C-alpha cells in the first residue's frame, strides 16, 4: 500500500511538473514573439527617409541584400510565413501583411519613407501599391517591377517614377 501511495503521489507530481514545463514553453515563446514584434514596430517608427520593399521574392530579396550591404534603412513587407522566416534569419526589419492594404503601408512608415519598391508578383498588385503609395505620400519615389511590356506605361501613368522588367533586362544582358 505504501508503495502504491508513493507511485500515485510521484505520478501526479510528475504530471503537474510536465504540464507546467509545457505551459511555460508556450507562454515564453508567445511573450518573446510579442516583445520582438514591439521592438520591430519601434524600430520602424524611428525610421525616416527609409525605403519600403513590397514583396520579398527572388528580386525583392536581392534588393534587400544590396540595401543592407550599403547600410540603407529599409522595411520589407510580405505576407508569406516562409519568406518572413527567411527575412528574420537575415535580420531585416519587416512588416508582415499585404502590401496592397493601406494599414500595412502605414505600419511600414510610408508617410516618412523616401521611396518604395514594388516587387510583387503581378502587375495588378504593383499598380495598386503605386496608387496607394502616391495617395499616402505624394513625394515618395516609386520604383516598380513589370511582368509584361504592355504594363510599363500603365505603371508610369499610375505614378511610378521608374519601371523595370527583369525579363527585358535579363534578355538584354544575355544577348550582350
Amino acid at each position: 500500500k505504501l508503495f502504491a501511495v508513493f507511485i500515485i503521489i510521484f505520478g501526479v507530481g510528475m504530471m503537474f511538473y510536465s504540464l507546467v514545463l509545457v505551459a511555460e514553453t508556450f507562454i515564453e515563446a508567445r511573450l518573446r514573439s510579442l516583445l520582438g514584434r514591439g521592438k520591430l514596430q519601434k524600430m520602424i517608427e524611428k525610421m525616416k527617409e527609409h525605403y519600403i520593399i513590397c514583396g520579398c521574392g527572388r528580386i525583392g530579396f536581392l534588393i534587400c541584400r544590396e540595401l543592407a550591404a550599403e547600410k540603407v534603412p529599409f522595411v520589407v513587407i510580405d505576407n508569406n510565413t516562409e519568406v518572413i522566416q527567411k527575412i528574420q534569419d537575415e535580420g531585416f526589419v519587416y512588416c508582415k501583411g499585404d502590401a496592397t492594404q493601406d494599414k500595412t503601408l502605414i505600419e511600414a512608415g510610408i508617410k516618412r519613407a523616401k521611396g518604395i519598391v514594388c516587387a510583387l508578383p503581378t502587375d495588378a498588385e504593383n499598380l495598386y501599391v503605386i496608387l496607394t503609395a502616391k495617395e499616402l505620400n505624394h513625394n515618395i519615389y516609386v520604383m516598380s517591377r513589370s511582368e509584361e511590356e504592355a504594363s510599363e506605361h500603365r505603371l508610369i501613368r499610375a505614378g511610378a517614377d521608374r519601371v523595370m522588367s527583369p525579363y527585358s533586362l535579363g534578355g538584354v544582358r544575355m544577348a550582350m
Side-chain angles (χ1 to χ4, degrees):
K1 288 182 182 180
L2 193 60
F3 181 72
V5 170
F6 176 74
I7 291 292
I8 291 170
I9 292 172
F10 184 72
V12 170
M14 285 301 290
M15 183 182 73
F16 280 126
Y17 180 71
S18 298
L19 286 174
V20 167
L21 284 178
V22 169
E24 181 184 11
T25 303
F26 283 119
I27 291 170
E28 186 177 310
R30 180 72 178 142
L31 281 174
R32 191 178 2 217
S33 164
L34 289 172
L35 292 174
R37 186 73 204 127
K39 183 180 175 186
L40 269 176
Q41 196 59 39
K42 286 179 185 174
M43 287 174 66
I44 294 170
E45 287 172 5
K46 289 180 184 177
M47 285 185 173
K48 289 183 179 155
E49 297 291 308
H50 61 286
Y51 290 89
I52 299 172
I53 314 302
C54 299
C56 198
R58 289 180 292 189
I59 292 177
F61 195 73
L62 291 172
I63 293 168
C64 291
R65 279 206 171 145
E66 287 298 316
L67 291 175
E70 295 294 322
K71 302 207 183 327
V72 174
F74 67 94
V75 177
V76 181
I77 299 176
D78 208 297
N79 57 3
N80 184 328
T81 309
E82 294 169 5
V83 172
I84 292 294
Q85 184 60 49
K86 190 176 173 183
I87 292 167
Q88 284 177 331
D89 293 343
E90 290 288 329
F92 300 153
V93 179
Y94 68 92
C95 280
K96 184 175 183 181
D98 186 359
T100 62
Q101 300 292 320
D102 293 15
K103 178 184 156 199
T104 308
L105 290 172
I106 291 169
E107 187 180 320
I110 188 103
K111 294 181 180 178
R112 301 177 313 276
K114 185 176 185 178
I116 186 167
V117 178
C118 303
L120 295 169
T122 67
D123 290 340
E125 288 175 306
N126 288 327
L127 181 69
Y128 197 79
V129 171
I130 292 166
L131 291 170
T132 306
K134 283 294 187 175
E135 181 182 323
L136 294 171
N137 182 347
H138 301 293
N139 300 322
I140 195 163
Y141 181 84
V142 178
M143 178 176 230
S144 179
R145 166 192 173 163
S146 169
E147 284 290 308
E148 301 173 25
E149 285 184 44
S151 298
E152 285 187 41
H153 74 278
R154 287 187 192 114
L155 294 169
I156 290 172
R157 246 190 359 225
D161 296 294
R162 182 92 192 249
V163 176
M164 300 187 90
S165 172
Y167 300 117
S168 298
L169 289 172
V172 170
R173 293 285 293 228
M174 288 176 77
M176 290 176 148

